[in-house]
Amino acid sequence: TLVLSDGTGLELEINGEKTVLGSPGDMARFDGEASVLSRLGRGKIRDFNVMTRRGVFQNHVEVREDSAFHVDSTRSELESGLSANLLFLLETQEVFANGSAKGLQRHDAIFIEAGDMGVRHTGKAVHIRLRSTGM
């Protein structure tokens, strides 16, 4: 999964199909074996990528803005490493987890620990959920 984190106008051609990522938070999903061509539209960009080994882990990537969510992994899944949740910030914001606030900068990431089952943030962020396929 490729998420545009800075800039505008990234054009991708994935297996012959055109996809335009026009603003931060836009994303494209494709297999590692895909034929991918890219063109910059209006200057430099920065992207954030999530790659997982097929058959070992699954990932779910979602862009959220000013949201609260409950981590759907169990405490034992998080503690054993069978599941992980991360939040990658697309802008400077406050993140509230386990009853405390953390002021974080754009492009910071926070690992959501087993005790942080409820999370709230005040800006645009990418929520990444990884789960072992052995579950």
Side-chain angles (χ1 to χ4, degrees), residues 5-71:
S5 62
D6 280 318
T8 58
L10 176 62
E11 182 180 303
L12 300 173
E13 188 176 307
I14 304 167
N15 292 328
E17 188 172 318
K18 183 178 170 181
T19 300
V20 177
L21 306 181
S23 61
D26 288 355
M27 73 173 79
R29 293 182 174 92
F30 51 91
D31 291 336
E33 300 83 11
S35 170
V36 181
L37 299 172
S38 65
R39 291 176 203 84
L40 292 177
R42 297 175 297 240
K44 295 180 182 180
I45 61 102
R46 183 175 299 187
D47 63 61
F48 177 80
N49 297 282
V50 177
M51 295 176 266
T52 52
R53 182 180 298 264
R54 192 176 302 116
V56 178
F57 279 94
Q58 296 173 330
N59 73 64
H60 178 78
V61 179
E62 181 178 16
V63 176
R64 298 172 172 266
E65 190 161 2
D66 301 321
S67 74
F69 59 94
H70 182 77
V71 176

